[in-house]
Amino acid sequence: MSGMPCVILISGRGTNLQAILRAVAEEGLPLDIRAVISNRPEAAGLEQARRAGLPSYVLDHTLFADRETFDRELQELIDRHVPQLVILAGFMRILSEKFVSHYRGRLINIHPSLLPAFPGLNTHRRALAAGVGEHGATVHFVTEAVDGGPVIVQACVSVLAEDTADTLAARVLAEEHRIYPQVLRWFAEGRLRLERHSGRDCAVLDGEILEASEHLLPGEVKQ
Ligand code: GRF
C-alpha cells in the first residue's frame, strides 16, 4: 500500500479507526497503516483491524509494573513499524513525557470536547453539567501538556435542551469521524506541521498558523 507509514493506537470500540479505514479504502486517504495497537485485549477495534487485514497487537498495560516500562515497550513496538505518524484514535492512556517527546510533531490525538474546555474523561457529562451551549471535538498535536497540545481543528455541535450524555456523544462522534480523516490527510500530504513560533508550539497548515479560536462549524471543512 502506498501512503505515509503510520501506526494507530486504540483502546476501545474503534469507530474513529473505522472512519480512518473507510477514508483510506474509499477516499484515497494516503496512509499506509502498518499496525494497530491496543492496550486493552478486549478492544472491539482490534477485530476491525484484523478484518481489514492489518497487523494488530495487544500490549496490555495491566501487565506492566509502571507507566515508563509500558511506554518503553509500546515505543519499541511502534518503532519496529517505522511510522512517520502515530495516530491516537480513542487511546485512553496518558503517555509519559519521554514517549511524547520521542514522537514530537508526528503524534496526533482526537479529544471529545472543545479544548481547552473539558480535558480528561467524561467530557459529555461534564459539558451538560456545566450548561454550555456548544460542545464538540478537537484534533490536536500531542505535546507534553496532557490534552494541551496545539489545536489543529475543532468541530462544534449545539447542545440541545433534551440532550443526554449519550445523544450529545453521538453527535460529537459523527463530527470526529468527519474531521479526523481530514486532518490526517493534511498531515500525510505534508501540508500540516508542528512548529515553534515565538516560544510556543503551533499547528501550521500550508504555512499558516492555525489559531485555537478558529472553530469549524458543522458541515464545514477547511481546506
Ligand atoms: C472518542 O470520543 C475519542 O474522541 C476519545 O475516545 C473516543 C473513542 O471512540 N478519545 P472510538 O473508540 O474511536 O469509537
Side-chain angles (χ1 to χ4, degrees):
M1 198 196 272
S2 66
M4 179 177 276
C6 68
V7 168
I8 302 183
L9 306 189
I10 62 167
S11 297
R13 71 198 154 168
T15 64
N16 276 290
L17 170 65
Q18 214 168 358
I20 296 165
L21 293 179
R22 191 180 320 114
V24 170
E26 295 172 18
E27 290 155 27
L29 173 61
L31 291 178
D32 172 10
I33 303 170
R34 299 205 167 164
V36 173
I37 304 171
S38 172
N39 65 311
R40 293 187 192 277
E42 72 283 4
L46 284 169
E47 186 47 39
Q48 290 162 30
R50 288 186 199 115
R51 253 186 275 132
L54 297 170
S56 61
Y57 302 85
V58 174
L59 205 61
D60 184 346
H61 66 276
T62 64
L63 305 179
F64 290 82
D66 50 41
R67 190 178 304 282
E68 280 61 38
T69 323
F70 172 76
D71 282 7
R72 210 168 36 238
E73 195 79 16
L74 180 61
Q75 185 176 316
E76 211 179 286
L77 178 57
I78 293 171
D79 286 351
R80 248 188 269 158
H81 300 276
V82 204
Q84 291 173 29
L85 171 63
V86 177
I87 301 166
L88 305 181
F91 186 69
M92 305 303 282
R93 294 272 307 163
I94 291 176
L95 293 160
S96 56
E97 274 191 40
K98 211 167 159 199
F99 181 98
V100 169
S101 71
H102 178 72
Y103 294 106
R104 176 160 261 277
R106 52 186 176 125
L107 185 59
I108 294 182
N109 183 42
I110 187 151
H111 180 79
S113 79
L114 296 175
L115 291 171
F118 312 116
L121 300 175
N122 302 316
T123 56
H124 309 302
R125 191 160 50 71
R126 286 158 59 213
L128 286 178
V132 294
E134 272 194 336
H135 185 47
T138 302
V139 181
H140 65 97
F141 279 109
V142 178
T143 62
E144 289 71 11
V146 177
D147 292 334
V151 169
I152 302 165
V153 151
Q154 296 185 306
C156 308
V157 303
S158 298
V159 179
L160 308 176
E162 65 273 21
D163 263 331
T164 63
D166 286 348
T167 59
L168 186 55
R171 289 206 309 289
V172 171
L173 197 61
E175 291 299 308
E176 293 185 33
H177 298 162
R178 186 175 67 83
I179 62 175
Y180 213 6
Q182 175 67 63
V183 167
L184 299 176
R185 178 182 295 275
W186 290 336
F187 192 90
E189 290 174 350
R191 297 170 57 190
L192 175 67
R193 266 196 272 281
L194 174 70
E195 292 178 2
R196 281 199 66 90
H197 290 272
S198 315
R200 69 181 178 113
D201 288 325
C202 300
V204 176
L205 177 64
D206 296 334
E208 275 186 41
I209 294 175
L210 297 170
E211 294 300 340
S213 56
E214 285 178 9
H215 290 187
L216 276 183
L217 299 172
E220 266 188 313
V221 172
K222 183 173 175 171
Q223 294 291 353

